[in-house]
Amino acid sequence: GKQNTFDHSIRVPLMVVGPDLPQGKKVDADVYLQDVMASSLDLAGIKKPKYVAFNSLMDLAKGKTNQSAYPSIYGAYIKHQRMIRKDGFKLIVYPEIDKALLYHVSEDPKELNDLAEDPSYEKKIKKLFKDLLRLQKKMGDTLDLSSTYDEVIG
């Protein structure tokens, strides 16, 4: 199981093989595992039902785009962690200990340099935390992050 939201656990390789797909193509875009269902429907020529909230990977696989269909990615692990990945940054929140970590993943892909304590990133943390709360609500996640928000944002 993936019990943390660091990239070595959540950004695992995903291979797409199918008719009319280029061989050896590599794409570095944020996707959800649930995109596989929408992609399978797309490959089968079946129109995606409205209740399928995720996106086909076929445009990425065929090289029509190299951009993620999502402006941000949300992650959660039971009640222990919440995460948002957006604009080259990742904010990880640990609600049980009122702690947050911030990484500039586009410059620090191994997530070695936590920027959360750096005062120059205070606005970035506030923005990402608010975006995280919006995504949490959109995803139907009812975990209360208010104490962590108060502790981290102050």
Side-chain angles (χ1 to χ4, degrees), residues 48-91:
K48 180 176 85 168
K50 290 183 188 232
Y51 60 81
V52 176
F54 294 90
N55 299 296
S56 173
L57 300 171
M58 290 303 98
D59 284 348
L60 285 167
K62 291 180 179 180
K64 293 180 180 177
T65 185
N66 62 355
Q67 298 295 313
S68 174
Y70 307 99
S72 55
I73 295 290
Y74 175 77
Y77 176 65
I78 51 180
K79 62 181 181 177
H80 304 310
Q81 298 174 52
R82 296 298 181 270
M83 178 276 303
I84 184 170
R85 208 182 141 88
K86 182 177 183 178
D87 299 332
F89 285 87
K90 181 193 287 183
L91 180 69

Side-chain angles (χ1 to χ4, degrees), residues 5-6 81-83 90-94 99-101 103:
T5 56
F6 286 95
Q81 298 174 52
R82 296 298 181 270
M83 178 276 303
K90 181 193 287 183
L91 180 69
I92 304 172
V93 175
Y94 299 93
K99 175 83 174 152
L101 304 175
Y103 297 99

Side-chain angles (χ1 to χ4, degrees), residues 106-125:
S106 60
E107 293 182 7
D108 179 19
K110 293 187 178 183
E111 299 168 304
L112 299 174
N113 186 24
D114 174 22
L115 304 170
E117 301 296 323
D118 184 334
S120 65
Y121 288 95
E122 183 179 346
K123 286 182 182 178
K124 176 57 82 176
I125 291 171

